[in-house]
Amino acid sequence: MSDLCRVYGVQPYYRDVFGKVRRSPEASLIKVLRSLGARLEGLSDIASAYQDRLNQLKSRVIEPVIPLFDLDSLLPINLKDCSVDKIVCRLKLENETKIKEWVISSRDQYLRASVLRVPFSIPYGYHRLNVEVGDLTFSSLIISAPSKAYQPKDRVWGLFIPLYSLHTERSWGAGTYTDLMKLVDWASKVGAAFVGTTPLLPFSYSSPFDPSPYSPSTKLFWSDFYVDLSSITNLNTLDDELKDKLRKVTTSKQVEYEDIIELKTRVAAEVSEKALTNRKGRLASYIREHPELKEYAEFRAAKEANNREEYKMKTKVYLFLQTLAHLQFEHLSHYARKKGVKLYLDLPLGCSPNGYDSSRFGSLFVRDVFVGAPPDFFFPKGQNWGINPLHPEKIREAGYSYFIECVRHHMRHAGYLRLDHIMAFHRLYWIPKGAGSDEGVYVKYRAEEFYAIISLESHRHKCAVVGENLGTVPSYVNRALRRHGLLECYILQLKPPSTLQRITSNTLASLNTHDMPSFKAYLMGVDIKLRLKAGLIDPKQAAEEIRWRRQQIKALRQCLKNYGLLREKHSIRDLLASSLKLLALSRARILLISLEDLWLEQAIHNMPGTGAEFGNWRHRSKLSLERFTRDKDVFRLLNMVNEARRSSRLF
């Protein structure tokens, strides 16, 4: 079993966050191996399945994908079992029509070779290599890239708020791309280098509705939930039902997604026909340039329509909304560049099993497995995130085309791109259907191939990359991030102050994340109480967490006093200001500030391990954009951060 696991990249053992070596259940191993393609019904098939896999790997002359860094021209190759007189190599360089060809004619030369030196330089890019061995041709995607991703300059800071939580006087219950543009404008005036938010991708319209931005329908389109329809809508013409709905969503303390979606969809239905039939209009022109929008609109309509007429009507509405979303997002992107403020975008790990990507690129996903995390301090039962993993071999055979397009979709507009769960480049925790979250198996991926793509695309788009490396992350992942120039994450609420000296210039620092309580909620232990209520921890574990939290806060206060940043007598606001200044004075290349912390909002956007019943992703900010942009305390805090980032480092 161990040998079979090894040749399929499956880990039968792993070391958990407690330092304990865990063996994955035999039943889980068999299911995962079968999902990877092993012909395995039971233990009696292990020997034959192992031999089949060995023969398959042995027959490969070259790997389906080969990453090369820093203009290297040595290709790994397996020619030991070849018995032909010569081998012909043909390389098609990206954006070139001419094919470069060379021949290896000495049998002794290639019999001993485990690497093949290309007799000319290979520029950065995606290239196609074909190797002819007798009657057989083996093909490989060559990814030639800098070893390090694009590097940001200076020590900068930026603002973060989920767009659904942001709102203005014109918003219909949740933020819009226009609202985000207003935030960009204000950010440019207070000295912020970027504005960040959670993923801006379409929801998977499942039942019950799940507003999680980390389980989208697709990673290739922008969400039309955030379109601004106010400029094309006369509110006086709305019927009484829609007026009541608009009043409800704008006064609610949480984001009423379903009502907002219905409101925007019904308004769009009134204007979409005229807008789409105007062939000289910008919408029609954009659709002709991007025919994929119609395919996505048809997918959504087919999911919801009960008959042909309804399908045609919904297709028009969704095509209108989707086109408007892309036009407004591109306008936002251009406006941000004009203002000198970059966008900090977020690329989630996966997408909904019921969404567009899983349907359109179904062969790349493993359907009978979910992705999650093993048990740890915060989640003793483990986590199941309800998303299907990509098949590690099939994505290679497809030349990573889907992944590359997802990255490009974001990097075209991002100055900074956060990659959720960066450990996925190395391995993922697979949970077979029917298994518990603590019965998963780690499956390996080809990390260097992912890093080559990220590095190449980041340089092409001049986009710095942040690798989210929180949770149970082996040390080799962090070493890979440094080797390839991706920024690591340092979260003050997760780390004891004694680790502050570990912050390097290769770091994004922040007080918290979207999966954590706000600064005030952290100090009050609100998240611990909620996790106890949800049954994620028992009373004993809650008491231990409260004790540990108090120790952390006490150590933070003492650390701030030692640096001369906090007086003996202080308020929560003083503690917040000192903590932000501490991070601002660090070596961290990027400081990410949650807007809601600036007015000490007691917020929790998401409680990992829980579902819709806890109101995840529905928190609506207490202050509107008009209010917090006039708040003197907010200005004072940001001026302090600005000065600290420009001054000499404290450590």
Side-chain angles (χ1 to χ4, degrees):
M1 177 67 85
S2 293
D3 287 339
L4 182 60
C5 286
R6 175 176 50 80
V7 293
Y8 272 101
V10 173
Q11 293 183 221
Y13 304 90
Y14 68 92
R15 188 177 296 277
D16 66 16
V17 71
F18 309 103
K20 179 183 177 182
V21 175
R22 287 177 175 259
R23 177 175 175 82
S24 297
E26 197 170 83
S28 294
L29 289 172
I30 290 174
K31 289 179 181 177
V32 164
L33 286 164
R34 197 182 298 147
S35 296
L36 287 167
R39 296 176 182 174
L40 190 65
E41 295 300 325
L43 297 178
S44 60
D45 299 319
I46 287 178
S48 60
Y50 173 64
Q51 193 58 52
D52 286 347
R53 181 60 173 167
L54 276 185
N55 293 339
Q56 186 184 35
L57 295 174
K58 192 177 180 182
S59 67
R60 284 182 180 172
V61 168
I62 51 174
E63 290 289 330
V65 178
I66 299 175
L68 298 177
F69 293 103
D70 297 331
L71 302 177
D72 187 12
S73 60
L74 286 177
L75 304 176
I77 195 163
N78 173 28
L79 299 171
K80 292 180 181 178
D81 295 325
C82 296
S83 57
V84 295
D85 294 329
K86 68 176 183 178
I87 293 172
V88 180
C89 302
R90 295 187 177 91
L91 184 63
K92 167 74 168 57
L93 297 178
E94 185 181 22
N95 299 325
E96 288 191 17
T97 55
K98 187 178 180 180
I99 296 176
K100 296 178 180 287
E101 180 179 307
W102 72 102
V103 177
I104 306 172
S105 56
S106 168
R107 190 162 184 267
D108 289 338
Q109 176 187 348
Y110 65 71
L111 276 174
R112 294 191 300 269
S114 58
V115 293
L116 175 66
R117 182 177 293 279
V118 180
F120 46 81
S121 62
I122 302 178
Y124 292 142
Y126 302 101
H127 315 299
R128 177 58 58 180
L129 173 68
N130 288 320
V131 178
E132 288 186 10
V133 182
D135 295 331
L136 299 175
T137 299
F138 300 89
S139 184
S140 178
L141 173 68
I142 308 296
I143 309 172
S144 178
S147 59
K148 289 186 179 293
Y150 179 78
Q151 298 296 295
K153 298 175 182 178
D154 304 324
R155 289 160 62 234
V156 300
W157 64 275
L159 301 168
F160 173 87
I161 187 170
L163 185 51
Y164 60 80
S165 187
L166 179 70
H167 56 96
T168 67
E169 293 171 353
R170 294 173 71 250
S171 304
W172 293 4
T176 65
Y177 296 121
T178 303
D179 296 336
L180 194 53
M181 197 160 63
K182 290 180 180 178
L183 180 60
V184 164
D185 182 57
W186 180 72
S188 70
K189 296 173 182 176
V190 296
F194 64 91
V195 166
T197 186
T198 47
L200 299 175
L201 302 166
F203 303 120
S204 177
Y205 291 89
S206 56
S207 183
F209 177 73
D210 180 10
S212 172
Y214 292 92
S215 183
S217 174
T218 173
K219 296 192 280 186
L220 297 171
F221 299 92
W222 300 118
S223 175
D224 54 39
F225 176 76
Y226 301 111
V227 296
D228 179 11
L229 296 178
S230 60
S231 61
I232 60 172
T233 306
N234 183 348
L235 299 183
N236 294 323
T237 63
L238 297 181
D239 61 34
D240 290 342
E241 183 185 355
L242 288 184
K243 285 179 180 177
D244 288 342
K245 206 170 285 291
L246 181 59
R247 195 176 300 112
K248 174 187 174 183
V249 300
T250 54
T251 57
S252 176
K253 291 184 179 180
Q254 68 172 16
V255 180
E256 304 289 351
Y257 286 95
E258 297 90 332
D259 289 325
I260 296 170
I261 290 167
E262 183 183 351
L263 181 63
K264 290 189 177 183
T265 301
R266 287 178 59 181
V267 168
E270 297 294 323
V271 297
S272 59
E273 180 76 30
K274 183 178 179 181
L276 294 175
T277 53
N278 179 11
R279 293 191 58 78
K280 294 183 179 180
R282 183 68 187 103
L283 263 70
S285 172
Y286 193 87
I287 291 168
R288 287 194 294 271
E289 296 165 6
H290 301 276
E292 66 276 8
L293 293 174
K294 189 170 188 293
E295 182 182 329
Y296 175 62
E298 289 171 342
F299 169 82
R300 280 186 63 184
K303 281 275 188 178
E304 300 176 16
N306 295 312
N307 54 59
R308 184 66 184 170
E309 284 304 310
E310 188 179 2
Y311 168 77
K312 289 169 65 177
M313 182 273 291
K314 284 183 176 292
T315 297
K316 289 179 182 178
V317 171
Y318 292 144
L319 181 58
F320 169 77
L321 285 170
Q322 189 57 217
T323 307
L324 204 59
H326 280 246
L327 286 169
Q328 290 186 3
F329 187 88
E330 289 179 9
H331 182 53
L332 161 68
S333 177
H334 292 315
Y335 185 80
R337 287 194 182 97
K338 180 181 175 182
K339 287 290 182 179
V341 176
K342 295 181 178 179
L343 296 180
Y344 174 101
L345 301 181
D346 194 342
L347 180 60
L349 169 63
C351 53
S352 168
N354 301 314
Y356 174 80
D357 286 4
S358 291
S359 173
R360 177 70 174 78
F361 308 97
S363 63
L364 302 179
F365 291 89
V366 184
R367 299 286 191 175
D368 55 353
V369 169
F370 293 113
V371 173
D376 59 21
F377 292 112
F378 297 103
F379 301 98
K381 300 174 184 177
Q383 298 178 70
N384 185 328
W385 299 330
I387 57 177
N388 298 139
L390 289 167
H391 194 292
E393 283 301 308
K394 290 181 180 178
I395 54 173
R396 300 180 77 216
E397 292 165 3
Y400 289 99
S401 56
Y402 168 68
F403 176 74
I404 291 170
E405 193 48 49
C406 290
V407 171
R408 286 175 175 169
H409 178 66
H410 288 74
M411 283 192 178
R412 287 186 191 107
H413 306 282
Y416 301 93
L417 180 62
R418 174 187 180 271
L419 299 177
D420 189 36
H421 199 67
I422 194 66
M423 192 175 71
F425 282 12
H426 299 259
R427 67 178 189 178
L428 268 179
Y429 187 71
W430 287 23
I431 305 168
K433 277 186 179 178
S437 299
D438 59 345
E439 297 177 310
V441 177
Y442 272 112
V443 176
K444 295 179 181 179
Y445 289 75
R446 305 290 183 121
E448 293 301 291
E449 295 168 8
F450 282 108
Y451 285 117
I453 292 167
I454 288 298
S455 179
L456 181 59
E457 295 296 335
S458 74
H459 279 277
R460 287 180 167 182
H461 294 90
K462 291 183 169 51
C463 176
V465 184
V466 178
E468 185 270 292
N469 60 333
L470 308 175
T472 309
V473 178
S475 58
Y476 62 77
V477 175
N478 295 326
R479 289 196 297 272
L481 292 179
R482 297 177 200 123
R483 185 169 67 250
H484 292 294
L486 276 68
L487 296 167
E488 304 174 56
C489 296
Y490 183 93
I491 309 302
L492 189 63
Q493 289 176 197
L494 282 178
K495 300 279 188 179
S498 58
T499 62
L500 282 164
Q501 296 295 337
R502 298 181 195 170
I503 295 179
T504 69
S505 60
N506 198 55
T507 303
L508 175 145
S510 181
L511 293 179
N512 41 50
T513 75
H514 58 263
D515 278 337
M516 299 173 64
S518 66
F519 188 72
K520 184 177 181 181
Y522 168 80
L523 296 177
M524 298 177 68
V526 174
D527 57 314
I528 299 174
K529 297 169 187 173
L530 286 176
R531 291 173 60 238
L532 176 62
K533 181 180 177 181
L536 298 174
I537 51 176
D538 58 35
K540 182 179 178 182
Q541 290 167 325
E544 179 61 26
E545 284 196 27
I546 290 171
R547 184 187 65 80
W548 182 83
R549 177 74 56 85
R550 287 172 178 165
Q551 289 177 347
Q552 289 291 94
I553 295 170
K554 181 180 179 181
L556 174 61
R557 285 191 163 104
Q558 189 57 52
C559 172
L560 293 169
K561 291 173 185 176
N562 292 343
Y563 278 116
L565 299 176
L566 187 67
R567 299 187 302 269
E568 194 64 41
K569 289 186 177 180
H570 57 268
S571 63
I572 292 180
R573 186 171 293 279
D574 294 331
L575 185 59
L576 168 69
S578 300
S579 299
L580 285 174
K581 190 170 185 177
L582 179 72
L583 294 181
L585 289 167
S586 74
R587 286 175 289 180
R589 187 70 55 87
I590 300 175
L591 172 60
L592 184 68
I593 300 173
S594 172
L595 264 171
E596 291 171 314
D597 278 335
L598 299 178
W599 53 85
L600 292 174
E601 183 149 358
Q602 187 174 301
I604 295 180
H605 285 271
N606 178 47
M607 181 68 64
T610 64
E613 70 277 6
F614 268 79
N616 291 334
W617 313 112
R618 291 180 179 268
H619 174 77
R620 193 164 183 252
S621 184
K622 184 173 68 175
L623 299 186
S624 67
L625 184 142
E626 289 85 0
R627 285 185 62 190
F628 70 71
T629 54
R630 296 194 298 264
D631 191 301
K632 293 180 180 179
D633 288 330
V634 169
F635 265 107
R636 277 194 289 268
L637 282 170
L638 295 182
N639 284 335
M640 176 269 296
V641 168
N642 227 354
E643 292 174 8
R645 288 266 82 184
R646 292 172 180 171
S647 65
S648 301
R649 298 193 311 264
L650 182 62
F651 56 90

